[in-house]
Amino acid sequence: MTEEDSVFDPTLKKKKKKKKTTFDLDAAFNEGGSIGDAMETSGDKENQEPEAPVPAEDDEALDLENFGRKKKKKKKAFNLDELDAALPDTKKEDVVEQQTEEIVVDDTFDLDMDFSKTKKKKKKKKDLDELVAEEERKEIEDKENEETSWVGSDRDYTYDELLVRVFNIMREKNPDMVAGKKQKFVMRPPQVVRIGTKKTSFANFTEICKTLHRQPKHLLDFLLAELGTSGSVDGNSQLIIKGRFQQKQIENVLRRYIKEYVTCHTCRSPDTILQKDTRLFFLQCETCGSRCSVASIKSGFQAVTGKRAAIRAKTA
Amino acid sequence: MSIQNLNTFDPFADAIKGSDDDVQDGLVHIRIQQRNGRKTLTTVQGLSSEYDLKKIVRACKKEFACNGTVIEHPEYGEVLQLQGDQRENICQWLTKSGLAKPDQLKVHGF
Ligand SMILES: [Zn+2]
């Protein structure tokens, strides 16, 4: 649901946003009127009125840092023409309708509430998948920047620009496709707790393995190789790692694992199977059928960190 | 260098050897390794053997204000070892000094 929202809403919300920030109050009212009509929400708006304005401000500040949001803003630029075209109309309509000022006011507050609601959703979703999705979005966003630069100019478009264009059109026309892809990416963030001063517990390690459909051993190998440490799964199926790590750090490594060993390198679908063939691992995608080899997990050079005396005693 | 076909790399060497070591993957692997408690060290593996690693380590020690050493490893060749988490530093330094291009660097860890 929420994923779908984030895919769908952008245009809607953007419009709202854009109008809000760039146009003056009148415009906002007008706009509020038209949108409010469409949404036909009613009832307890008044109860929430007092709180609404403050969250709205927060939202804006947060938005700047939020990748997912940024993308939306960019898209706004896209819709600007439409908006501008649409605005005069709504103004005219609203001039006629402006007798009911109270209702108009309510509607604007309603808008604010909308923002705060979506914000909350956003905040909750600090899941890994969300982060991965953000990464993807960022890439898309970057492309979008370049995309339309040739529109007004004489210069020829490049292949990349056309490619971006066609993908954007595809996404626009098939929102389900985009939404469907993202929906599968629901995963809880890793629960990371420190044990004492020297060890870290990754409590839902096995659960995450299950969500990713990967052998715990494979993920374990990767984690330990990347973090350059040792560890094991204990009786409560939690992973105990030597050293101090924060959730954010583990999340980073997990994200890299997902990128390399879970999502399809061609279509990014997480619906994949990891197979071992001779010495190599292959990632077989169930969505697009692509099959490619993935990097083998190597811890590479390991420096001597233990007590040298003990090692000497062992080997001697 | 830039023309793949002219490399003297033997594509079957790996298969013959039967081991998947990454000495020849052309990447500089920068890893972090856990020591006691919260202490870490950074290893840099895969720097071209044409470079004088002793000189490099001397420069790095000074630059990052940390200790470091060069270790000769039978499989991985000469490996740079620095105290603490110097991954960020060493990446910048290697790029700045032109010893490696950014896309040759593979940083591991969190
Ligand atoms: Zn695929």
Side-chain angles (χ1 to χ4, degrees), chain A residues 264 266-269 285 287-290:
Chain A
C264 168
T266 310
C267 71
R268 290 216 175 107
S269 155
C285 177
T287 308
C288 74
S290 104

Side-chain angles (χ1 to χ4, degrees), chain A residues 28-132:
Chain A
F29 281 158
N30 292 340
E31 183 219 332
S34 53
I35 291 176
D37 292 344
M39 293 199 301
E40 63 169 17
T41 45
S42 58
D44 44 14
K45 282 171 205 158
E46 281 144 350
N47 299 341
Q48 282 142 337
E49 269 179 40
E51 305 167 17
V54 179
E57 272 176 21
D58 283 349
D59 289 348
E60 240 156 30
L62 277 168
D63 287 351
L64 294 177
E65 292 161 16
N66 195 322
F67 293 131
R69 277 285 166 133
K70 255 194 209 161
K71 188 209 166 191
K72 289 176 188 169
K73 282 206 177 145
K74 296 254 158 75
K75 258 199 185 165
K76 273 180 216 161
F78 238 110
N79 297 335
L80 249 194
D81 291 351
E82 281 175 37
L83 280 184
D84 287 341
L87 246 197
D89 292 345
T90 51
K91 259 184 196 161
K92 279 171 214 158
E93 282 170 22
D94 283 37
V95 171
V96 184
E97 290 169 5
Q98 241 172 13
Q99 338 94 314
T100 53
E101 257 204 33
E102 282 177 16
I103 293 172
V104 173
V105 170
D106 277 355
D107 284 337
T108 51
F109 278 121
D110 201 28
L111 272 186
D112 287 344
M113 278 159 42
D114 264 338
F115 284 139
S116 57
K117 269 183 213 155
T118 50
K119 246 300 128 54
K120 273 174 210 156
K121 277 184 209 157
K122 276 275 145 67
K123 275 177 204 157
K124 274 183 215 154
K125 285 193 288 170
K126 288 222 167 158
D127 304 2
L128 262 185
D129 14 314
E130 176 55 17
L131 291 169
V132 174

Side-chain angles (χ1 to χ4, degrees), chain B residues 38-98:
Chain B
R38 64 197 311 178
K39 292 198 171 78
T40 54
L41 53 85
T42 307
T43 62
V44 184
Q45 168 202 323
L47 282 170
S48 166
S49 51
E50 287 163 29
Y51 298 141
D52 184 347
L53 264 75
K54 292 206 178 66
K55 260 187 187 165
I56 293 178
V57 83
R58 232 174 286 143
C60 288
K61 284 163 72 167
K62 207 168 177 188
E63 185 85 8
F64 315 150
C66 69
N67 205 354
T69 181
V70 178
I71 296 194
E72 179 68 41
H73 191 275
E75 189 181 344
Y76 301 119
E78 281 189 317
V79 178
L80 212 68
Q81 191 177 307
L82 298 164
Q83 283 182 7
D85 182 1
Q86 310 292 345
R87 291 174 298 163
E88 191 73 10
N89 286 334
I90 193 76
C91 281
Q92 279 169 11
W93 190 83
L94 286 175
T95 322
K96 199 181 68 190
S97 58

